[in-house]
Amino acid sequence: MTTFRRRFAEWRPPSLKRATLWVSQWFSKTAAFESPRVAAMASPHMQQPSFLLASLKADSMNKPFAQRCQDLVKVIEDFPAKELHTIFPWLVESIFGSLDGVLAGWNLRSLQGRVSPVEYSVAMEFLDPGGGPMMKLVYKLQAEDYKFDFPVSYLPGPVKASIQERVLPDSPLYHNKVQLPAPGGLGLHLALNPFEYYMFFFALSLITQKPLPGALHIRTSDCAYFILVDRYLSWFLPTEGSVLPPLSSSPGGPSPSPAPRTPAMPFASYGLHHTSLLKRHVSHQTSVNADPASHEIWRSETLLQVFVEMWLHHYSLEMYQKMQSPHAKESFMPSEEHVLAVRLLLKHLHAFSNSLRPEQASPSAHSHAASPLEEFKRAAVPRFVQQKLYLFLQHCFGHWPLDASFRAVLEMWLSYLQPWRYAPEKQALSSDSQARGVSERWAPFVQENLLIYTKLFLGFLSRALRTDLVSPKNALMVFRVAKVFAQPNLAEMIQRGEALSVPELRSWLVIPHRQHRLFTAPTFTGSFLSSWPPAVTDASFKVKSHVYSLEGQDCKYTPMFGPEVRALVLRLAQLITQAKQTAKSLSDQYGESTAGRPFLSWLGFYPTDTNGSYPGNDLDEMGQDSVRKTDEYLEKALEYLCQVFRLSEAQLAQLTLALGTAQDENGKKQLPDCVVGEDGLILTPLGRYQIINGLRRFDIEYQGDSELQPIRSYEIASLVRLLFRLSSAINHRFAGQMAALCSRADFLGSFCRYHLLEPGLSGRRLLSPVGRGRAANRARGPRLSLRFLGSYRTLLTLLLAFFVASLFCVGPLLCALLLVLGYVLYAVAMTLLTERGKLHQL
């Protein structure tokens, strides 16, 4: 060994390929002469060091991105699988990042063609599913049946917990892959083939890799990652033709389908307790070569299983039931990009399933022998996606913030509800396709996904009742849902499906103790489809089994067209009507406030309205266009809801009046609903609801000491404080004299009262009799206030007056005397008018 190291250190190879081959030959020659101790080190857990891997790692630090990819292409083409399998895990991690999120990899979620065109084109070509170098490497290693370890700790929560409890997950993706921890090696892990290992990392990078700080404003549809997702879906789940075989990169032909592995640990089956996985497989295991036609789609099944497991299987039925508690701790919250990727998957799955020809999709055709791809198209959505998507959507509807970002979740849900939008005949429909309605051929889909229509609609109602419908974005979401459910014939399909599930379900269906798992023990062939039970033909049984499988045995179904949901819809209709009125009043208020501001308000000298307008909406953003859009969305949403639930205009008018949203005689909003208590007005629950939703508001007015008001934005803070100290000193020094002057009954007394006394509180519109009494008790004596001199407006007015006087050759002293004289004349006139007004009141 020492001789080998010395000779390698003295030799300088001319190329990377020759160097690695030379090292491999010398290592194999010298290994025969090593001692037994050295030979024992060459165990599977103590692999030989890879000089090719070391060279590639060094190049990744020194060479530019395009050059590194060119070198990788040459390495993949020239080196055998024996050498490439050592670099495969490192290469996958360097592309998609580490599972713990520390290494970012190629940052595919931030890579865009218009920003980095060279890097973008190189990355997309390298990872292309149709013939990219990375897929060639995967197929080359697949042909040699290499396995790679994937830690269980990075799997989604329910799967990880299931495996750690020695319970078999329900997905066939994990069968025969779980390996016990090795002494001194990895912990509990999966033994994956190269294609599975690559897809695991590709799917998980959407969750584990956090977006860069500068990537917040990047359009998701332009990112390399999402374009790759679309390409992989189009390649492995084709809507036209069949799945193309992998390009063979070795003389041995196409890569084989992965053979089932020997079980490595005991598992307890869901519904079949105290039974080992090995015993179960003895009776069900068949040869992988029993159905050669199933090898055609194993990559398609693997891709779909990986995407569904990594993106959707973060919640189980037990976890969902626990999360209903208000004290439950948040386990996993998907990001907006995560939701967009799931929507892309659902849209493509609908197109993939709908690509079956009508004769293939008919029940008679299903009874005859069908190709594995046709069977897979029928089973893709109901058997692989439906349950996990329902739990995923339930969690998002219940825990997503009440803001406009919920639009991504909403569109994902609506995309799944409308498979007819992705049918081939969709392009042949004319512009009046909306009037045609939903075809009866989609009735089985609606019935088999009844809860996703009805239960999630109820969840959306609960969200809509808590959102501000004056916002155009929230109004748009209500409009979108109402428009989808108002499609002709869809409501009737849902009602027929509910009619099949209303009778007692328990007498119709017997389900094992763990309802959300497989009904039967899985079998293993080359395809995952063989592990699923045959399709059920009875419509009523299908609907009831769907409800039980998604909600459990103890579910209590709430009909969508029952009285409970109808009451919520009526309440939403009330809020829509009120939101339209509120948006109109806010728009009018914004117009009045804009028109009423003086010319100098742009300088910041105009006072801000402390009584303010409704703070729930930004009036500066509530322009005429926003109000018009909000009104249109809400008007159409109300119309669609009336169509779906058969609401009449008389019902809406009666409910609107019952809630007290009518305007008063002057066209102004009334005060919020409240009662008079010992401490003043007390809001009722209806009043709090009216304030929160901006339906009514109090006219807030400052009723304290005017000298102690907070310093406003149009005042000079230091000058206001200085004037307050000065006026306080004068008031304290001459309090007796000012009181004596104000008590006089002649004109001098009236003149002093006009300047030294605050306006009477009796003239203010106080909120309650209690408030008026307390205000009377807070009457203050005469005092001097100089705060007006600390205002920008006052100082600017004085400055303009002196400037104009200087234009007429009037000096500052004379100008000041003229201003004082003018004010005295003004004060005398106001004093006379005030006294005359008091006499008229008497």
Side-chain angles (χ1 to χ4, degrees):
M1 194 70 180
T2 305
T3 304
F4 162 75
R5 292 175 178 171
R6 185 175 62 253
R7 295 189 60 178
F8 179 77
E10 297 173 354
W11 186 73
R12 296 294 182 269
S15 67
L16 178 63
K17 177 183 176 182
R18 295 179 184 178
T20 308
L21 290 176
W22 182 86
V23 170
S24 302
Q25 294 173 0
W26 265 96
F27 204 96
S28 60
K29 290 180 181 179
T30 55
F33 300 98
E34 295 292 340
S35 63
R37 180 182 61 83
V38 177
M41 294 174 60
S43 63
H45 302 289
M46 298 293 292
Q47 297 181 354
Q48 302 170 3
S50 172
F51 293 95
L52 174 61
L53 178 59
S55 300
L56 292 176
K57 287 183 177 180
D59 292 342
S60 66
M61 303 295 294
N62 303 321
K63 294 184 178 181
F65 178 76
Q67 182 63 39
R68 298 201 311 265
C69 290
Q70 293 179 3
D71 294 343
L72 287 173
V73 171
K74 295 179 182 179
V75 168
I76 293 172
E77 292 178 352
D78 296 343
F79 283 84
K82 182 179 179 181
E83 301 292 338
L84 293 176
H85 88 279
T86 59
I87 70 168
F88 183 69
W90 166 83
L91 180 58
V92 171
E93 187 177 81
S94 65
I95 294 174
F96 302 118
S98 58
L99 296 174
D100 56 8
V102 176
L103 301 179
W106 288 4
N107 290 320
L108 296 176
R109 290 168 58 185
S110 304
L111 186 60
Q112 288 184 296
R114 59 183 179 86
V115 178
S116 306
V118 177
E119 291 80 359
Y120 174 84
S121 60
V122 170
M124 297 299 291
E125 182 179 356
F126 188 83
L127 302 176
D128 185 74
M134 194 64 194
M135 295 309 298
K136 290 182 180 179
L137 172 60
V138 169
Y139 297 142
K140 181 183 287 189
L141 297 176
Q142 191 80 31
E144 300 296 335
D145 196 25
Y146 283 105
K147 301 296 178 181
F148 299 92
D149 296 331
F150 187 91
V152 170
S153 58
Y154 292 107
L155 294 176
V159 179
K160 177 175 62 176
S162 175
I163 294 178
Q164 290 175 348
E165 295 173 1
R166 304 299 193 267
V167 180
L168 178 65
D170 59 352
S171 174
L173 183 65
Y174 306 105
H175 294 170
N176 295 331
K177 294 182 176 66
V178 181
Q179 304 294 310
L180 285 171
L186 285 176
L188 203 61
H189 61 279
L190 304 178
L192 305 177
N193 63 53
F195 186 80
E196 294 168 340
Y197 188 83
Y198 175 80
M199 286 301 168
F200 268 56
F201 267 84
F202 177 73
L204 278 176
S205 63
L206 178 64
I207 301 172
T208 59
Q209 299 300 315
K210 304 302 179 183
L212 298 178
L216 298 178
H217 304 289
I218 295 178
R219 291 184 56 186
T220 302
S221 58
D222 297 337
C223 297
Y225 182 86
F226 291 91
I227 296 177
L228 280 174
V229 170
D230 184 65
R231 289 188 183 182
Y232 283 5
L233 290 173
S234 301
W235 183 264
F236 295 109
L237 302 176
T239 57
E240 297 180 359
S242 59
V243 183
L244 297 178
L247 299 176
S248 177
S249 55
S250 62
S255 58
S257 174
R261 296 174 58 85
T262 304
M265 62 181 299
F267 277 85
S269 170
Y270 287 108
L272 299 174
H273 300 287
H274 308 291
T275 304
S276 69
L277 181 64
L278 178 60
K279 291 180 180 179
R280 288 170 51 208
H281 285 181
V282 169
S283 58
H284 298 286
Q285 182 81 20
T286 59
S287 173
V288 73
N289 298 321
D291 186 12
S294 64
H295 295 175
E296 173 189 350
I297 61 167
W298 73 266
R299 292 173 298 147
S300 303
E301 294 175 354
T302 300
L303 176 81
L304 178 59
Q305 286 277 318
V306 171
F307 282 178
V308 170
E309 288 295 312
M310 301 302 121
W311 292 349
L312 295 179
H313 197 186
H314 293 274
Y315 315 101
S316 61
L317 182 58
E318 293 88 349
M319 184 183 300
Y320 162 67
Q321 292 172 346
K322 292 178 182 178
M323 291 301 294
Q324 303 309 303
S325 171
H327 304 289
K329 184 180 180 181
E330 181 72 27
S331 57
F332 173 81
M333 191 65 189
S335 63
E336 192 170 348
E337 291 180 334
H338 184 174
V339 172
L340 294 175
V342 174
R343 186 191 179 206
L344 181 62
L345 171 64
L346 296 178
K347 292 168 64 175
H348 189 87
L349 282 178
H350 278 322
F352 176 68
S353 301
N354 295 334
S355 62
L356 279 171
R357 295 188 298 272
E359 60 272 12
Q360 294 174 336
S362 62
S364 59
H366 183 68
S367 60
H368 297 82
S371 67
L373 183 60
E374 295 172 0
E375 292 288 343
F376 183 54
K377 288 182 178 182
R378 294 190 186 97
V381 174
R383 296 182 180 177
F384 293 142
V385 178
Q386 185 191 78
Q387 183 189 45
K388 297 179 177 65
L389 175 65
Y390 175 72
L391 296 177
F392 184 83
L393 285 171
Q394 278 278 41
H395 187 273
C396 290
F397 273 60
H399 295 80
W400 200 277
L402 290 172
D403 55 20
S405 64
F406 185 72
R407 176 77 185 279
V409 179
L410 185 77
E411 294 299 335
M412 174 183 63
W413 173 49
L414 296 181
S415 296
Y416 183 79
L417 296 185
Q418 304 176 84
W420 46 86
R421 292 183 56 193
Y422 312 101
E425 63 268 19
K426 174 68 177 178
Q427 289 75 17
L429 295 178
S430 59
S431 59
D432 60 344
S433 58
Q434 178 71 15
R436 297 184 180 184
V438 182
S439 173
E440 282 295 328
R441 63 166 288 200
W442 301 107
F445 179 87
V446 175
Q447 295 170 1
E448 294 170 5
N449 296 271
L450 185 64
L451 286 181
I452 302 182
Y453 283 90
T454 61
K455 187 71 177 293
L456 294 180
F457 180 81
L458 181 59
F460 174 76
L461 278 180
S462 65
R463 290 184 61 93
L465 294 173
R466 293 176 290 160
T467 55
D468 179 15
L469 298 183
V470 180
S471 169
K473 296 179 180 179
N474 293 334
L476 175 60
M477 288 191 282
V478 176
F479 163 75
R480 290 282 296 123
V481 174
K483 181 180 180 182
V484 169
F485 280 87
Q487 296 178 83
N489 203 31
L490 178 58
E492 289 76 7
M493 289 183 184
I494 297 175
Q495 285 180 305
R496 291 199 299 269
E498 289 188 328
L500 297 173
S501 63
V502 167
E504 181 64 26
L505 304 181
R506 204 176 298 267
S507 60
W508 285 80
L509 191 63
V510 178
I511 298 184
H513 179 66
R514 301 291 287 274
Q515 303 89 0
H516 64 295
R517 305 301 182 180
L518 300 177
F519 287 90
T520 60
T523 59
F524 288 85
T525 62
S527 172
F528 292 147
L529 294 175
S530 57
S531 64
W532 292 87
V536 184
T537 56
D538 182 71
S540 178
F541 187 86
K542 288 165 65 175
V543 174
K544 296 169 183 177
S545 63
H546 158 74
V547 174
Y548 265 138
S549 63
L550 296 187
E551 285 289 328
Q553 266 183 328
D554 300 328
C555 69
K556 181 181 179 182
Y557 180 71
T558 303
M560 178 176 169
F561 295 94
E564 298 180 15
V565 179
R566 185 178 180 84
L568 293 178
V569 172
L570 289 174
R571 184 180 174 190
L572 178 61
Q574 297 170 8
L575 296 183
I576 290 176
T577 304
Q578 296 162 3
K580 292 173 59 180
Q581 298 175 357
T582 303
K584 183 65 170 60
S585 63
L586 289 174
S587 176
D588 296 341
Q589 182 179 357
Y590 173 74
E592 293 175 1
S593 62
T594 303
R597 290 183 181 180
F599 174 74
L600 295 178
S601 62
W602 64 274
L603 292 174
F605 303 135
Y606 186 71
T608 58
D609 186 8
T610 56
N611 298 332
S613 54
Y614 169 58
N617 295 279
D618 188 0
L619 294 181
D620 293 335
E621 296 180 0
M622 287 293 296
Q624 295 298 326
D625 292 339
S626 298
V627 173
R628 179 179 53 82
K629 290 180 180 179
T630 301
D631 187 70
E632 291 178 359
Y633 292 148
L634 295 178
E635 182 70 27
K636 296 299 292 184
L638 191 60
E639 178 184 342
Y640 289 139
L641 289 175
C642 291
Q643 293 178 10
V644 175
F645 293 92
R646 298 179 177 88
L647 304 179
S648 63
E649 294 184 1
Q651 287 176 307
L652 296 180
Q654 181 181 3
L655 293 171
T656 301
L657 292 174
L659 195 59
T661 59
Q663 295 180 342
D664 58 12
E665 297 177 356
N666 299 325
K668 300 297 182 180
K669 288 291 182 179
Q670 302 172 352
L671 292 178
D673 190 70
C674 52
V675 295
V676 179
E678 296 181 357
D679 297 328
L681 296 180
I682 302 176
L683 283 173
T684 64
L686 176 59
R688 287 193 292 269
Y689 174 82
Q690 292 169 341
I691 291 179
I692 291 174
N693 290 274
L695 306 178
R696 296 182 182 181
R697 65 183 179 88
F698 288 107
D699 292 330
I700 307 300
E701 181 181 357
Y702 183 80
Q703 298 173 0
D705 189 352
S706 58
E707 288 293 297
L708 300 179
Q709 292 185 62
I711 297 176
R712 309 301 177 84
S713 59
Y714 56 86
E715 294 177 324
I716 304 175
S718 58
L719 186 56
V720 168
R721 296 187 181 99
L722 179 62
L723 293 172
F724 175 74
R725 296 191 186 98
L726 177 61
S727 60
S728 298
I730 295 175
N731 293 329
H732 180 72
R733 175 67 179 81
F734 301 101
Q737 292 85 335
M738 289 189 291
L741 289 174
C742 291
S743 62
R744 296 178 58 165
D746 54 5
F747 175 79
L748 181 59
S750 300
F751 189 84
C752 292
R753 284 193 296 271
Y754 176 78
H755 288 89
L756 301 179
L757 290 180
E758 292 186 39
L761 295 176
S762 59
R764 299 183 183 179
R765 191 171 72 93
L766 300 181
L767 299 179
S768 68
V770 178
R772 296 191 189 99
R774 292 187 176 181
N777 295 332
R778 291 195 302 263
R780 300 177 182 89
R783 59 179 180 174
L784 177 67
S785 177
L786 302 176
R787 182 164 179 167
F788 71 97
L789 294 175
S791 171
Y792 285 108
R793 291 179 298 163
T794 303
L795 297 179
L796 182 60
T797 303
L798 293 176
L799 182 61
L800 288 176
F802 283 107
F803 176 74
V804 172
S806 65
L807 296 178
F808 295 94
C809 301
V810 178
L813 181 59
L814 181 59
C815 179
L817 292 176
L818 291 176
L819 289 176
V820 172
L821 179 62
Y823 178 75
V824 169
L825 294 177
Y826 169 80
V828 169
M830 291 301 298
T831 301
L832 295 175
L833 292 175
T834 302
E835 291 298 322
R836 182 176 299 179
K838 291 181 179 180
L839 292 176
H840 284 297
Q841 291 179 0
L842 296 175

